[in-house]
């Protein structure tokens, strides 16, 4: 019996720092520019595994919970890297392996200031199917869902129904991609969720409300008991339907977003 199973994406992340500082600014955005046909020296290169599912699995494990990860890996060396990292962290790997697929992969360009641009390939993360999973082996007290897309999202709905029937509680965190899909798209999963976590932009997009207070009200009306909305440097809040609790971040020097 696990304390929690983190369900979501797994990637290999490559952090690239070129120290190239050419910027193009206009009224709408600031762009990082690289010369076409040029060759830039890399100042720092770092490989690590990441992803919405594996990152949270590590966090849960470090909190002392008996943790497993469930996702979809490809049939490549990157899948071996992710599996090795999970093993090193003491996390049980319940992932499926695709025979002709690539493991999720991201390149993080970190060239100026404290922000970054990410190039990402979802790969096998989008192809988790219910036949890849042995539901009866998912014996746990909690499940944590991160954003999944395409076939994997449909599988997530089935897992959510399985969890509900087996008294397994669900915590879920979404991305802007799923928020833009709207409540009707997410409702088959949200009706089974005990704790729902999202940031302010996602909350207002999903609920089509203008304030966090109204977003909380609309989400509680769906039957979700506990909600939490984060707001970057402004802190975070949580609601149990009766009270809204807020917390402010410590004033520290930002090293990396």
């Amino acid at each position: 019996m696990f304390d929690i199973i983190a369900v979501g994406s797994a990637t290999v992340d490559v952090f690239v720092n070129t120290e190239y500082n050419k910027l193009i600014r206009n009224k709408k955005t600031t762009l990082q520019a690289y010369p076409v046909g040029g060759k830039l020296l890399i100042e720092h290169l770092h490989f690590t595994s990441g992803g919405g599912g594996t990152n949270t699995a590590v966090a849960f494990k470090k909190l002392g919970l008996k943790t497993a990860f469930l996702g979809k890996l490809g049939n490549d060396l990157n899948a071996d890297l992710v599996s090795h990292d999970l093993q090193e962290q003491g996390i049980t790997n319940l992932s499926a392996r695709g025979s002709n697929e690539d493991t999720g992969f991201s390149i993080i360009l970190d060239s100026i200031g404290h922000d970054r641009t990410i190039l990402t390939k979802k790969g096998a993360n989008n192809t988790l199917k219910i036949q890849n999973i042995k539901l009866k082996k998912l014996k746990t007290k909690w499940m944590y869902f991160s954003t999944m897309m395409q076939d994997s999202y449909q599988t997530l709905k089935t897992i959510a129904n399985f969890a509900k029937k087996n008294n397994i509680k669900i915590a879920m965190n979404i991305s802007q991609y799923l928020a833009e899909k709207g409540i009707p798209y997410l409702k088959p999963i949200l009706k089974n969720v005990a704790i729902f976590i999202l940031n302010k932009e996602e909350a207002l997009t999903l609920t089509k409300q203008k304030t966090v207070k109204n977003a909380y009200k609309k989400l509680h009306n769906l039957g979700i008991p506990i909600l939490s909305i984060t707001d970057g440097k402004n802190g975070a809040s949580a609601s149990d339907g009766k009270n809204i609790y807020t917390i402010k971040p410590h004033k520290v020097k930002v090293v990396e977003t």
Side-chain angles (χ1 to χ4, degrees):
M1 171 72 75
F2 295 105
D3 292 314
I4 191 162
I5 298 174
V7 186
S9 61
T11 67
V12 168
D13 294 331
V14 182
F15 292 81
V16 180
N17 189 334
T18 67
E19 296 298 331
Y20 188 75
N21 58 4
K22 178 67 176 179
L23 288 177
I24 298 175
R25 289 188 173 93
N26 58 39
K27 293 181 179 179
K28 293 183 178 181
T29 188
T30 298
L31 304 176
Q32 169 74 59
Y34 296 98
V36 175
K39 181 182 289 186
L40 303 176
L41 294 178
I42 294 175
E43 298 290 331
H44 180 70
L45 188 66
H46 179 63
F47 288 78
T48 183
S49 62
T54 49
N55 282 346
T56 48
V58 171
F60 293 134
K61 179 64 179 179
K62 289 187 175 182
L63 287 171
L65 301 176
K66 187 177 181 182
T67 306
F69 167 70
L70 174 62
K72 182 79 175 288
L73 303 175
N75 184 28
D76 52 19
L77 291 175
N78 287 334
D80 295 337
L81 190 154
V82 172
S83 298
H84 176 267
D85 281 0
L86 290 171
Q87 184 177 10
E88 286 284 298
Q89 295 289 340
I91 297 166
T92 301
N93 186 4
L94 303 175
S95 300
R97 295 281 291 259
S99 58
N100 296 304
E101 296 172 290
D102 296 325
T103 300
F105 187 81
S106 293
I107 300 172
I108 297 93
L109 301 173
D110 185 13
S111 300
I112 296 177
H114 302 300
D115 220 327
R116 75 284 184 273
T117 299
I118 300 176
L119 311 177
T120 187
K121 179 179 182 180
K122 294 297 184 180
N125 289 315
N126 285 351
T127 63
L128 180 66
K129 297 182 179 180
I130 198 62
Q131 55 263 38
N132 301 142
I133 302 169
K134 297 179 180 178
L135 287 173
K136 292 182 179 180
K137 289 191 175 182
L138 303 183
K139 296 181 179 180
T140 183
K141 300 172 186 175
W142 280 85
M143 287 186 178
Y144 170 88
F145 291 172
S146 62
T147 290
M148 301 191 83
M149 300 161 58
Q150 298 180 16
D151 289 344
S152 298
Y153 178 77
Q154 300 306 317
T155 300
L156 210 59
K157 291 195 293 186
T158 303
I159 296 174
N161 289 330
F162 167 82
K164 185 72 172 181
K165 292 177 182 178
N166 289 274
N167 298 314
I168 298 169
K169 293 182 179 180
I170 298 173
M172 186 177 189
N173 175 232
I174 66 169
S175 66
Q176 185 67 11
Y177 167 82
L178 283 183
E180 291 172 356
K181 291 288 187 179
I183 287 176
Y185 184 82
L186 287 172
K187 198 169 183 179
I189 295 178
L190 292 181
K191 67 181 182 181
N192 298 323
V193 167
I195 301 176
F196 189 36
I197 308 153
L198 61 175
N199 67 31
K200 182 179 178 181
E201 182 183 5
E202 293 156 358
L204 300 184
T205 298
L206 178 64
T207 61
K208 295 181 172 58
Q209 301 298 310
K210 294 184 178 181
T211 67
V212 167
K213 185 176 181 180
N214 287 340
Y216 273 134
K217 184 177 180 180
K218 188 161 186 178
L219 291 170
H220 277 306
N221 286 340
L222 296 175
I224 305 171
I226 304 294
L227 299 164
S228 179
I229 297 176
T230 62
D231 190 16
K233 65 182 180 181
N234 297 315
S237 60
S239 172
D240 60 5
K242 297 179 181 179
N243 300 291
I244 295 176
Y245 306 87
T246 60
I247 187 170
K248 296 293 183 181
H250 296 294
K251 293 183 179 179
V252 298
K253 180 182 178 180
V254 176
V255 178
E256 278 289 349
T257 54

